[in-house]
Amino acid sequence: EVQLVETGGGLVQPGGSLGLSCAVSGFSVSSNYMSWVRQAPGKGLEWVAVIYSGGSTYYADSVKGRFTISRDNSKNTLYLQINRLRAEDTAMYYCARVVVGANHYFDYWGQGTLVTVSS
Amino acid sequence: EIVLTQSPGTLSLSPGERATLSCRASQSVSSSYLAWYQQKPGQAPRLLIYGASSRATGIPDRFSGSGSGTDFSLTISRLEPEDFAVYYCQQYGSWWTFGQGTKVEIK
């Protein structure tokens, strides 16, 4: 059975940092494209970052330079390091597997972890 | 960046009725790269349709997708109680973008 379980969310002050984790079972993170997608309260979905199976990483312009996506193949876990947090980063953060090739979509999602940026 | 505009914002229908949701792109999108998701309150999005018209595993055949170029649609042929939710379209161009969502609510 495929499972993605995010942890690490919480309340953090503006300018602070937070590290999110996504523990995956049922497939290998190293063999797949993996992404983070976020959703501000009451709002729509926003793609944040992707790590390719080869290790290349890419970011949405809104988070470039502040967020870092990475993975630990031995732990089959995806990470998102978030620095210099802003109020507008407040959101539920989902990890998701990206199906690529003939199509590009997100097939498996975690349940999300909530990040709240407030003083 | 390709912008996806979904309409209507809210669709008020009764169980058993047909729902048609629209997703319009600011520039042409490959049909292969258009997907639809369903999201219920407190839950993660669930993949419904990929490649504009292919149903994901386990998705009932009352859900269908169509369209090409800049105009795509999701149709739910007969609404079941569990179908009342928010629906998002998503495209892949250089990166992934989502529409703002259509809420299907019980009339």
Side-chain angles (χ1 to χ4, degrees):
Chain A
E1 182 191 5
V2 171
Q3 274 197 313
L4 295 81
V5 179
E6 301 96 332
T7 56
L11 176 64
V12 62
Q13 292 188 336
S17 298
L18 207 57
L20 308 183
S21 299
C22 171
V24 175
S25 57
F27 66 87
S28 168
V29 295
S30 64
S31 301
N32 286 273
Y33 286 27
M34 297 295 297
S35 259
W36 289 92
V37 176
R38 69 182 179 182
Q39 185 171 37
K43 301 298 184 181
L45 300 164
E46 179 188 19
W47 170 74
V48 170
V50 64
I51 183 166
Y52 288 178
S53 52
S56 299
T57 58
Y58 299 93
Y59 302 90
D61 287 343
S62 57
V63 307
K64 203 173 294 183
R66 300 188 300 120
F67 288 20
T68 302
I69 187 172
S70 63
R71 68 188 183 210
D72 185 328
N73 296 340
S74 66
K75 295 182 179 179
N76 211 34
T77 298
L78 181 73
Y79 302 100
L80 186 69
Q81 178 66 34
I82 310 175
N83 298 327
R84 304 201 307 274
L85 276 156
R86 307 167 178 166
E88 55 265 35
D89 296 320
T90 293
M92 184 71 78
Y93 284 75
Y94 297 100
C95 62
R97 186 175 78 166
V98 190
V99 173
V100 298
N103 308 108
H104 273 250
Y105 55 87
F106 305 94
D107 62 346
Y108 292 111
W109 297 67
Q111 85 290 348
T113 188
L114 181 63
V115 173
T116 303
V117 184
S118 175
S119 55
Chain B
E1 174 182 302
I2 297 177
V3 176
L4 299 177
T5 302
Q6 293 186 240
S7 61
T10 301
L11 200 51
S12 299
L13 295 168
S14 301
E17 289 193 293
R18 181 184 187 90
T20 302
L21 288 64
S22 173
C23 176
R24 179 161 290 177
S26 59
Q27 55 188 281
S28 185
V29 172
S30 168
S31 297
S32 298
Y33 295 159
L34 196 287
W36 289 91
Y37 301 84
Q38 176 194 69
Q39 188 178 34
K40 297 179 181 179
Q43 296 186 17
R46 177 175 73 142
L47 176 69
L48 296 177
I49 300 287
Y50 65 92
S53 60
S54 297
R55 275 187 299 277
T57 302
I59 301 303
D61 60 7
R62 63 180 181 272
F63 291 92
S64 63
S66 63
S68 64
T70 59
D71 290 300
F72 298 87
S73 63
L74 174 71
T75 299
I76 310 171
S77 59
R78 286 179 56 86
L79 283 164
E80 297 289 340
E82 61 268 27
D83 299 336
F84 291 92
V86 179
Y87 293 83
Y88 294 95
C89 57
Q90 166 251 305
Q91 68 83 37
Y92 174 77
S94 300
W95 307 114
W96 298 268
T97 59
F98 295 86
Q100 84 282 13
T102 290
K103 182 179 182 181
V104 179
E105 66 175 22
I106 299 176
K107 186 174 182 180

